[in-house]
Amino acid sequence: MPQRSPLDLPEGDPFGPHNLPYGVFTTPHAPHLRRIGVRYGSHVLDAGAAAAATASPYAELLGAATLNPLMAAGRPAWQAVRAEVLDWLTNPAHRPTIEPLMHPLTTLALHLPIEVADYVDFYASEHHAANVGRMFRPDGDALTPNWKHLPIGYHGRAGTVLVSGTPIVRPQGQHLPPAPDPSAASSSPAHTSSPAPVFGPSLRLDFEAEVAFVVGAPSPLNTPVPLSGFHDHVFGLCLLNDWSARDIQSWEYRPLGPFLGKSFATSLAAWITPLEALAPARTAPPARDVPLLPYLDDSAAEPFGFDLRIEVAVNGHTISRPLFSAMYWTAAQQLAHMTVNGASLRTGDVFASGTVSGPRPTERGCLLELSWGGRDQVRLGDDTRTFLEDGDEVTLTAWAPGPHGARIGLGEVSGHVVPATP
Ligand code: CA
């Protein structure tokens, strides 16, 4: 049987012509030469080589070692490059030039596709925030009084954003010793009554299934970006795993929020899907039940939500299917909020959604919620977990509705836990 060309995709391939996500790869023959690639089916187009071979005006942007120069070029350039890539992959006239520039995905090493500038993490799922509130503040309101008035977030650590596949070393730090009787601790996961902390490997290592938005075009200082500026500044999105050490986090977070319980590692997918590919997935966010200040008010705006169906697997067993469409705060509102005080945007800024949890227990996006603070066992086939053990592998995948019933696949983000450094 003749071998099929990598340019002839099976019907309905989630990485088909409507998707065209960007990444950065090296080949075994040139392990230090990073190149921009476009994923197409189970192959990757060497976009820099294609641009050079076709004398593209974008050869310099596509010949870079990261996506940052392309992202900085702005939306008209993103649209023009995307149209050109689509032409290379689908126009038969280009086939003799393009076919030799397609690499099987499995032969490549994938790298962090962007140079991360700042990293911000939000807290945009009402279901997640309410579940965590019920666990951490059982006697108070599930949501804090500010929650429905502004998208809550914190600044994370850009330097420890890692590409999918990077092993995650179990972090060490201060945490309170576990309560003597685990069942007695269920109503108080923070162990607030314990006297003094101990130092050691985290005993409550968790994942958080999130969606990250990547800033392309920068914005000047003292110039807030309105909701309508979202598409001019945001280049694309991808899956993100915000690894979280719950015991370190619950001891350190008051009063300034997450710090070392989060900053040891954040995994980003190797493929950034352009926003344009997700146009058919745009959807209205949930109804707002509190009037919003004008800079956040999206009641008359275009729909800024995205219908992304996420799946979380631990060691190959699916344990949750979070729905991104249930997120209360949209990325456009997060961008507007992040800049409303005059803070500028830089190319490569990443802002993540916060844990994606839907209304149903099967849609919860982290083990903290799935195990209800360690009270309940989460089934993994014949095995169970409350939090992650050494050797566990967490994989997030997702798809979005595309045109004419097609699916747009998002690049996976995976990582496995290795023991704490002795
Ligand atoms: Ca998070």
Side-chain angles (χ1 to χ4, degrees), residues 119 121-123 128 154 208 210 240 242 244 262 353-355:
Y119 166 50
D121 194 20
F122 283 95
Y123 195 51
H128 172 70
Y154 68 96
E208 290 188 340
E210 304 198 16
L240 177 145
D242 175 25
S244 300
K262 300 278 193 175
S353 60
T355 305

Side-chain angles (χ1 to χ4, degrees), residues 201-260:
S202 169
L203 303 175
R204 294 184 152 222
L205 184 59
D206 199 356
F207 61 83
E208 290 188 340
E210 304 198 16
V211 175
F213 292 79
V214 179
V215 171
S219 71
L221 192 64
N222 301 321
T223 310
V225 175
L227 294 175
S228 60
F230 178 70
H231 289 280
D232 290 328
H233 289 280
V234 175
F235 176 76
L237 62 72
C238 67
L239 291 169
L240 177 145
N241 183 347
D242 175 25
W243 302 94
S244 300
R246 300 301 184 191
D247 40 5
I248 297 173
Q249 182 187 356
S250 65
W251 171 236
E252 73 178 359
Y253 85 102
R254 280 174 280 203
L256 290 185
F259 188 37
L260 303 182

Side-chain angles (χ1 to χ4, degrees), residues 25-35 46 103 107-109 111:
F25 70 92
T26 52
T27 66
H29 310 292
H32 302 295
L33 186 61
R34 295 193 178 196
R35 303 157 177 273
D46 184 334
H103 298 275
T107 65
L108 303 178
H111 304 275

Side-chain angles (χ1 to χ4, degrees), residues 2 36 40 77 151 171 200 229 234 242 253 280 289 311 313 320 325 328 355 369 373 406:
I36 292 176
Y40 195 62
V234 175
D242 175 25
Y253 85 102
D289 37 28
E311 194 167 308
S320 178
S325 57
Y328 191 86
T355 305
E369 286 172 271

Side-chain angles (χ1 to χ4, degrees), residues 132-225:
V132 172
R134 286 185 198 106
M135 276 185 270
F136 279 56
R137 297 181 303 277
D139 302 322
D141 291 335
L143 295 179
T144 49
N146 56 359
W147 201 90
K148 289 214 166 168
H149 293 279
L150 53 78
I152 293 174
Y154 68 96
H155 276 271
R157 192 165 191 86
T160 50
V161 176
L162 310 168
V163 72
S164 172
T166 308
I168 303 302
V169 177
R170 181 178 296 274
Q172 305 205 65
Q174 280 197 27
H175 46 88
L176 295 178
D181 175 8
S183 63
S186 60
S187 64
S188 179
H191 307 306
T192 45
S193 59
S194 299
V198 296
F199 181 87
S202 169
L203 303 175
R204 294 184 152 222
L205 184 59
D206 199 356
F207 61 83
E208 290 188 340
E210 304 198 16
V211 175
F213 292 79
V214 179
V215 171
S219 71
L221 192 64
N222 301 321
T223 310
V225 175

